[in-house]
Amino acid sequence: MPLVLGHLTIEMGDNCRISGISTLSGRSMNGKASRLVIGNNVDINWQNNIAVGGNIIIEDNVRLAGRVFLAGYPGHPIDAQARADGLPDLDSQAGDIILKRDVWLATGVSVMAGVTIGEGTIVAAGSIVTRDLPAGVLAGGTPAKVIKSL
Protein backbone atom coordinates (compact mmCIF):
# COMPACT_ATOMS: atom_id res chain seq x y z
CA MET A 1 0.00 0.00 0.00
CA PRO A 2 1.20 3.53 -0.69
CA LEU A 3 1.78 5.89 2.23
CA VAL A 4 -0.80 8.71 2.32
CA LEU A 5 0.05 11.81 4.38
CA GLY A 6 -1.33 15.27 5.05
CA HIS A 7 -4.46 17.14 4.06
CA LEU A 8 -5.35 15.34 0.81
CA THR A 9 -8.47 14.31 -1.10
CA ILE A 10 -7.99 11.52 -3.65
CA GLU A 11 -10.32 10.70 -6.57
CA MET A 12 -9.45 7.67 -8.67
CA GLY A 13 -10.92 6.21 -11.86
CA ASP A 14 -11.19 2.59 -12.97
CA ASN A 15 -8.38 0.13 -13.72
CA CYS A 16 -5.66 2.07 -11.86
CA ARG A 17 -2.58 0.70 -10.17
CA ILE A 18 -0.52 2.45 -7.50
CA SER A 19 2.49 0.45 -6.42
CA GLY A 20 3.59 0.19 -2.83
CA ILE A 21 6.55 2.14 -1.57
CA SER A 22 4.98 5.28 -3.07
CA THR A 23 4.06 8.36 -1.06
CA LEU A 24 1.03 10.58 -1.71
CA SER A 25 1.07 13.76 0.36
CA GLY A 26 -0.94 16.95 0.47
CA ARG A 27 -0.67 20.34 2.11
CA SER A 28 -3.46 22.61 3.19
CA MET A 29 -4.13 25.48 0.77
CA ASN A 30 -6.03 28.30 2.47
CA GLY A 31 -7.48 25.78 4.90
CA LYS A 32 -8.65 23.39 2.14
CA ALA A 33 -7.33 19.92 1.39
CA SER A 34 -5.15 19.47 -1.66
CA ARG A 35 -6.72 17.35 -4.41
CA LEU A 36 -5.24 14.43 -6.34
CA VAL A 37 -7.37 13.37 -9.32
CA ILE A 38 -6.37 10.15 -11.10
CA GLY A 39 -8.19 9.19 -14.32
CA ASN A 40 -8.86 5.74 -15.75
CA ASN A 41 -6.20 3.16 -16.65
CA VAL A 42 -3.36 4.96 -14.85
CA ASP A 43 -0.21 3.14 -13.71
CA ILE A 44 1.85 4.69 -10.91
CA ASN A 45 4.92 2.52 -10.48
CA TRP A 46 7.16 1.92 -7.45
CA GLN A 47 8.87 4.57 -5.30
CA ASN A 48 6.90 7.52 -6.65
CA ASN A 49 6.44 10.66 -4.58
CA ILE A 50 3.35 12.73 -5.39
CA ALA A 51 3.38 15.94 -3.33
CA VAL A 52 0.09 17.75 -3.98
CA GLY A 53 0.32 21.48 -3.36
CA GLY A 54 -3.11 22.45 -4.71
CA ASN A 55 -4.28 20.06 -7.41
CA ILE A 56 -2.52 17.32 -9.29
CA ILE A 57 -4.57 15.96 -12.17
CA ILE A 58 -3.42 12.77 -13.87
CA GLU A 59 -5.65 12.08 -16.87
CA ASP A 60 -6.49 8.71 -18.50
CA ASN A 61 -3.84 6.24 -19.69
CA VAL A 62 -0.91 8.00 -17.99
CA ARG A 63 2.17 5.97 -17.02
CA LEU A 64 4.60 6.98 -14.28
CA ALA A 65 7.72 4.81 -14.19
CA GLY A 66 9.71 4.27 -10.97
CA ARG A 67 11.04 7.09 -8.79
CA VAL A 68 8.93 9.83 -10.41
CA PHE A 69 8.50 12.96 -8.26
CA LEU A 70 5.54 15.29 -8.82
CA ALA A 71 6.61 18.28 -6.71
CA GLY A 72 3.49 20.37 -6.18
CA TYR A 73 5.06 21.95 -3.10
CA PRO A 74 8.64 22.12 -1.76
CA GLY A 75 7.96 21.43 1.92
CA HIS A 76 10.26 24.21 3.16
CA PRO A 77 10.25 28.02 2.86
CA ILE A 78 12.75 29.86 0.67
CA ASP A 79 13.96 32.05 3.54
CA ALA A 80 16.86 30.38 5.40
CA GLN A 81 15.83 31.70 8.82
CA ALA A 82 12.25 30.48 8.32
CA ARG A 83 13.65 27.03 7.42
CA ALA A 84 15.88 27.05 10.50
CA ASP A 85 12.84 27.99 12.61
CA GLY A 86 10.92 24.98 11.21
CA LEU A 87 8.26 27.09 9.49
CA PRO A 88 6.24 25.64 6.61
CA ASP A 89 6.56 26.60 2.96
CA LEU A 90 4.39 29.43 1.62
CA ASP A 91 1.23 29.05 -0.47
CA SER A 92 3.02 31.02 -3.20
CA GLN A 93 5.56 28.17 -3.50
CA ALA A 94 2.88 25.56 -4.27
CA GLY A 95 1.22 24.95 -7.62
CA ASP A 96 -0.88 22.61 -9.69
CA ILE A 97 0.50 19.89 -11.95
CA ILE A 98 -1.52 18.50 -14.87
CA LEU A 99 -0.56 15.40 -16.83
CA LYS A 100 -2.80 15.14 -19.91
CA ARG A 101 -3.99 11.87 -21.48
CA ASP A 102 -1.41 9.30 -22.57
CA VAL A 103 1.60 11.01 -20.94
CA TRP A 104 4.53 8.76 -20.01
CA LEU A 105 7.10 9.91 -17.46
CA ALA A 106 10.15 7.63 -17.56
CA THR A 107 12.23 6.57 -14.56
CA GLY A 108 13.42 9.33 -12.27
CA VAL A 109 11.53 12.24 -13.84
CA SER A 110 10.73 15.23 -11.61
CA VAL A 111 7.90 17.64 -12.45
CA MET A 112 7.81 20.98 -10.63
CA ALA A 113 4.77 22.94 -9.45
CA GLY A 114 2.84 24.90 -12.05
CA VAL A 115 3.58 22.55 -14.97
CA THR A 116 1.19 21.04 -17.54
CA ILE A 117 2.44 18.24 -19.79
CA GLY A 118 0.49 17.91 -23.05
CA GLU A 119 -1.36 14.86 -24.34
CA GLY A 120 0.80 11.96 -25.51
CA THR A 121 4.10 13.51 -24.47
CA ILE A 122 6.95 11.29 -23.24
CA VAL A 123 9.57 12.65 -20.83
CA ALA A 124 12.95 10.90 -20.88
CA ALA A 125 14.49 9.27 -17.80
CA GLY A 126 16.10 11.57 -15.24
CA SER A 127 14.61 14.76 -16.67
CA ILE A 128 13.44 17.72 -14.60
CA VAL A 129 10.36 19.47 -16.00
CA THR A 130 10.23 23.11 -14.92
CA ARG A 131 7.95 24.51 -17.66
CA ASP A 132 4.91 23.37 -19.63
CA LEU A 133 5.51 20.85 -22.41
CA PRO A 134 3.33 20.68 -25.55
CA ALA A 135 1.36 17.64 -26.72
CA GLY A 136 2.93 14.87 -28.76
CA VAL A 137 6.63 15.38 -28.12
CA LEU A 138 9.61 13.60 -26.62
CA ALA A 139 11.26 15.88 -24.06
CA GLY A 140 14.31 15.40 -21.90
CA GLY A 141 17.12 17.03 -19.98
CA THR A 142 17.62 19.36 -17.05
CA PRO A 143 15.59 21.42 -17.52
CA ALA A 144 13.49 19.34 -19.91
CA LYS A 145 13.30 20.61 -23.49
CA VAL A 146 11.54 19.28 -26.56
CA ILE A 147 13.80 16.81 -28.38
CA LYS A 148 11.45 15.87 -31.23
CA SER A 149 7.83 15.54 -32.26
CA LEU A 150 6.27 12.10 -31.96
Side-chain angles (χ1 to χ4, degrees):
M1 294 295 297
L3 176 62
V4 179
L5 302 167
H7 201 186
L8 180 63
T9 299
I10 301 172
E11 302 169 28
M12 188 178 306
D14 295 326
N15 301 314
C16 295
R17 175 171 130 355
I18 301 177
S19 294
I21 317 174
S22 288
T23 302
L24 314 176
S25 65
R27 71 183 295 282
S28 180
M29 290 288 292
N30 300 319
K32 293 178 162 181
S34 292
R35 190 170 149 245
L36 173 60
V37 179
I38 300 170
N40 297 309
N41 192 37
V42 171
D43 186 10
I44 298 172
N45 215 315
W46 56 277
Q47 293 183 338
N48 279 252
N49 186 348
I50 300 176
V52 187
N55 297 292
I56 290 183
I57 299 170
I58 301 172
E59 294 186 357
D60 298 345
N61 307 316
V62 168
R63 298 293 182 262
L64 305 183
R67 296 189 332 269
V68 167
F69 182 24
L70 303 182
Y73 68 96
H76 300 287
I78 293 170
D79 179 71
Q81 186 58 52
R83 280 194 310 275
D85 293 341
L87 297 175
D89 56 8
L90 304 174
D91 286 351
S92 61
Q93 293 176 262
D96 295 344
I97 295 172
I98 301 171
L99 305 180
K100 296 291 193 175
R101 291 177 55 90
D102 302 314
V103 162
W104 172 23
L105 304 183
T107 301
V109 168
S110 294
V111 180
M112 301 298 108
V115 167
T116 297
I117 299 178
E119 186 171 331
T121 286
I122 299 171
V123 181
S127 299
I128 300 175
V129 185
T130 59
R131 295 191 174 132
D132 292 354
L133 293 173
V137 299
L138 171 64
T142 303
K145 295 182 173 129
V146 174
I147 296 170
K148 68 176 187 175
S149 293
L150 297 173

